Amino acid sequence: MKLIKQAVSRLTAMLMLFFMSTVAFAQEKSADIDVTVDKGGGGANWYASPWVWIVGAAIFILLLVALLRGNSSRD
């Protein structure tokens, strides 16, 4: 029974590696890549500002600390 489990495990790993390499080789190669980066104004992407992430992380950490400190009360 152990031998069958090992064989199935090895077969599964081999098939997964085969399919992953097939997907990697199937990527399209294009010689004419056109990348346009628009750094102009526009307030639609407020989440792209670094200060928003810093403030959000600070609030998250403060909430996490408050929740963890509140649960550690002793009699």
Side-chain angles (χ1 to χ4, degrees), residues 45-59:
N45 294 335
W46 57 269
Y47 51 83
S49 299
W51 68 268
V52 173
W53 290 100
I54 293 170
V55 170
I59 291 172

Side-chain angles (χ1 to χ4, degrees), residues 63-74:
L63 285 172
L64 189 64
V65 167
L67 288 172
L68 291 176
R69 284 190 142 226
N71 290 336
S72 64
S73 61
R74 294 181 181 164

Side-chain angles (χ1 to χ4, degrees), residues 4-23:
I4 294 173
K5 285 184 181 181
Q6 284 179 344
V8 169
S9 177
R10 288 180 182 175
L11 180 65
T12 303
M14 188 174 64
L15 286 174
M16 290 298 294
L17 288 172
F18 172 73
F19 287 126
M20 285 192 304
S21 66
T22 303
V23 170

